Amino acid sequence: MKFSNSKFVWFDGKLVPIQKAKVPVTTHAIHYGTSVFEGIRAYWNSENLFIFRLGEHVKRFRNSGKFYSMSLNYSNEEIKKAITNLCKKNKMKKSCYIRPFYFIGQYGINLHVTKNAPTHLAIFMFPFGDLFNKNGITAGVSSKRKFSDASTPTQAKMGGNYLNSIIATQEAKKKGFDEAILLDLEGNVSEAPGENIFIVKGEKMYTPPISSSALNGITRDAVLKIAKDSGYKASIKKFNRNELNRADEIFLTGTAAEITPIIKIDRKKVGNGTVGPITKAIMSEYTDIVMNRKKKYSHWLTAVY
């Protein structure tokens, strides 16, 4: 996925041209994956730029680092202000993706990371549209399993954790699929490499629990709330690979993916092979919400201008 970065980034408290935001090759995060990141969407509705669930993202951003005793040397309010100021500095009036991340800097080859390890915070952004085809994508169940809390905290959005996602994605692409689906160590459905997964059976929809190594996604949480408010029965429960084959509809949720339908799984049609009615309804409602056309959910949005 190619993108064009905006001119300015926020780096350690200052708005600077992107070419001046540099780190040395001895940076700890480059060697050991000691970086924490978030993906945040902002939507331009022709009148203002609205950041979706900014507070929830910043809270998770901080909590991810706590799993590894990494210090984030800015308050949540300072980070939120930095993000909105960056949007203004770049004069962003397009829907975009915002990537804040913090990482351990000069710390030698020491694996004993403590709160005293030096960290840096950077934020960049770029215009962004659809990650996937909203008319539906194909997916295949990966031979690679999602790691579990028995080895690595699954709720930490750490750079190093996503090597698992990279290898699953590589496998999927080699087989001709658009995306992968990972199972947990017990063989239950977990999630996609960068998205949560929902299945629809009849009038009910399900998504795996975090005990299946699924991320407690912010978009996942939004969809659960939207579904219930819309009168659908939405719940969290474990289900296995066979349930994917029996599902009437399947869709992914995530900041970058938004709501993305899966119309084929392991080369078999999901339902009739087109976007299902419940998925369509959730997609439409989600779009209205992020574009600030639903006042009931306006508290999820932060206006930039």
Side-chain angles (χ1 to χ4, degrees):
M1 179 178 62
K2 295 181 180 180
F3 54 83
S4 177
N5 278 316
S6 295
K7 184 178 180 180
F8 293 96
V9 301
W10 192 97
F11 189 64
D12 283 345
K14 296 179 181 179
L15 290 164
V16 299
I18 191 167
Q19 63 269 23
K20 291 188 177 181
K22 298 179 179 180
V23 297
V25 296
T26 48
T27 297
H28 193 273
I30 296 173
H31 298 267
Y32 298 115
T34 46
S35 62
V36 178
F37 73 93
E38 273 295 319
I40 304 172
R41 280 266 200 170
Y43 295 86
W44 177 254
N45 72 350
S46 79
E47 295 178 356
N48 210 329
L49 185 68
F50 293 96
I51 306 173
F52 185 62
R53 304 195 77 176
L54 177 58
E56 289 90 338
H57 278 290
V58 171
K59 182 179 179 181
R60 185 173 67 181
F61 188 48
R62 181 177 301 279
N63 288 340
S64 288
K66 289 180 179 179
F67 286 102
Y68 290 86
S69 298
M70 289 177 59
S71 298
L72 180 53
N73 301 316
Y74 298 88
S75 70
N76 288 4
E77 290 304 314
E78 286 174 324
I79 296 169
K80 287 189 282 186
K81 185 176 180 180
I83 289 170
T84 55
N85 283 345
L86 181 62
C87 292
K88 292 174 183 176
K89 181 69 173 179
N90 282 310
K91 300 177 182 177
M92 185 60 66
K93 292 188 177 181
K94 296 179 180 178
S95 293
C96 59
Y97 184 95
I98 303 162
R99 169 53 58 86
F101 64 103
Y102 60 109
F103 57 94
I104 294 178
Q106 300 281 41
Y107 200 55
I109 59 170
N110 187 0
L111 293 179
H112 183 208
V113 172
T114 71
K115 292 180 179 179
N116 295 322
T119 60
H120 303 274
L121 172 59
I123 310 166
F124 67 94
M125 63 188 303
F126 49 91
F128 194 62
D130 292 337
L131 177 65
F132 292 117
N133 186 343
K134 291 302 172 64
N135 291 318
I137 64 170
T138 63
V141 176
S142 178
S143 66
K144 306 301 180 183
R145 296 294 175 94
K146 180 68 187 288
F147 61 85
S148 77
D149 277 320
S151 60
T152 304
T154 58
Q155 299 308 309
K157 287 184 69 70
M158 300 291 296
N161 284 0
Y162 280 76
L163 288 170
N164 183 219
S165 296
I166 287 171
I167 199 166
T169 300
Q170 289 173 332
E171 181 187 60
K173 295 293 187 181
K174 286 177 183 177
K175 291 181 177 180
F177 299 119
D178 297 313
E179 188 58 301
I181 301 299
L182 293 106
L183 308 180
D184 67 15
L185 295 183
E186 296 177 353
N188 293 309
V189 175
S190 178
E191 60 181 9
E195 305 88 29
N196 291 113
I197 185 169
F198 282 76
I199 64 170
V200 179
K201 188 68 177 175
E203 295 295 315
K204 298 179 181 179
M205 67 176 71
Y206 309 99
T207 191
I210 60 174
S211 60
S212 287
S213 297
L215 183 71
N216 188 13
I218 290 170
T219 311
R220 168 184 178 266
D221 174 74
V223 167
L224 286 169
K225 289 180 168 66
I226 293 166
K228 289 178 180 178
D229 288 348
S230 301
Y232 299 113
K233 294 180 180 178
S235 60
I236 299 170
K237 78 165 192 174
K238 290 187 177 184
F239 55 88
N240 60 33
R241 181 176 185 168
N242 291 332
E243 294 299 315
L244 295 175
N245 297 324
R246 291 195 284 262
D248 297 323
E249 304 175 39
I250 304 175
F251 61 89
L252 303 178
T253 65
T255 295
E258 301 169 301
I259 317 297
T260 296
I262 293 177
I263 56 174
K264 281 188 179 181
I265 190 87
D266 289 333
R267 297 189 172 86
K268 298 178 182 177
K269 287 183 180 180
V270 177
N272 63 7
T274 61
V275 183
I278 292 178
T279 303
K280 278 185 180 179
I282 297 296
M283 292 172 71
S284 178
E285 187 75 358
Y286 186 82
T287 298
D288 284 344
I289 289 169
V290 299
M291 289 294 178
N292 198 31
R293 295 195 286 260
K294 295 282 184 176
K295 296 304 178 185
K296 178 178 180 179
Y297 298 98
S298 60
H299 63 283
W300 281 351
L301 304 177
T302 300
V304 170
Y305 302 105

